[in-house]
Amino acid sequence: VQLQASGGGLVQAGGSLRLSCKASGRTISQYAVAWFRQAPGKERLFVGGITRSGGSTDFADYMKGRGTIIRDNGRNTAYLQMNSLRPEDTAVYYCAAKRTILTIDQVYTDTDEYTYWGQGTLVTVSS
C-alpha cells in the first residue's frame, strides 16, 4: 500500500487542522493506521491511531481531548482532526499503516510496528 499524507499548513494557536492519509494500491480497511509527528532534531512520536475495524482509537497524552481519528474505507482514507492547536504541535506529521487481522484489533503505538509510511505533511502553529 502507498500512503499520501496531506492537509498540513500554517495555523494560529487555538486553531484546527484536518490531516488526510490517502491509501492506494490496497484497501486501507486491511490496516491499522496511526499518525506520528517529528519536530526538527527530535524523535518521531506517536500522535494517535485507529484499529483496523475503526472501533477504537488511542492518543498520546498530549493529544487526548484534542484529536480525533476516523477512517473512511469507501474513500480509502484516514483522517486526523486536531483542535486547540499549540505552537508545540509544530512538526512534520506522518501517517503509517500496519496490515493486521481482525482478531488482533488494536492500536499500535510504536514506529517499529509500521511497515508503510506516507511522506509527511508539515504543520506549523504560530503563537
Side-chain angles (χ1 to χ4, degrees), residues 1-121:
V1 67
Q2 293 81 44
L3 304 175
Q4 182 167 3
S6 62
L10 175 63
V11 62
Q12 287 190 329
S16 299
L17 276 177
R18 188 180 77 161
L19 307 184
S20 300
C21 180
K22 172 74 172 175
S24 60
R26 286 186 178 271
T27 173
I28 202 172
S29 64
Q30 298 177 339
Y31 297 82
V33 177
W35 291 89
F36 293 79
R37 73 185 192 188
Q38 189 166 20
K42 301 286 184 65
E43 64 180 330
R44 192 170 294 190
L45 298 176
F46 174 75
V47 176
I50 188 166
T51 59
R52 170 177 166 167
S53 72
S56 296
T57 58
D58 191 19
F59 289 89
D61 286 345
Y62 61 79
M63 191 55 67
K64 283 180 180 174
R66 302 191 294 133
T68 304
I69 296 176
I70 62 170
R71 56 191 309 150
D72 184 343
N73 292 337
R75 288 185 166 85
N76 227 23
T77 303
Y79 302 94
L80 169 64
Q81 174 74 38
M82 298 186 291
N83 302 319
S84 302
L85 283 163
R86 308 162 181 165
E88 54 264 40
D89 292 320
T90 295
V92 177
Y93 283 71
Y94 298 89
C95 64
K98 173 184 173 68
R99 190 162 184 184
T100 68
I101 56 176
L102 274 176
T103 52
I104 307 177
D105 198 37
Q106 67 182 75
V107 174
Y108 299 87
T109 63
D110 191 336
T111 56
D112 290 343
E113 294 277 6
Y114 290 89
T115 306
Y116 306 100
W117 292 84
Q119 83 286 8
T121 185

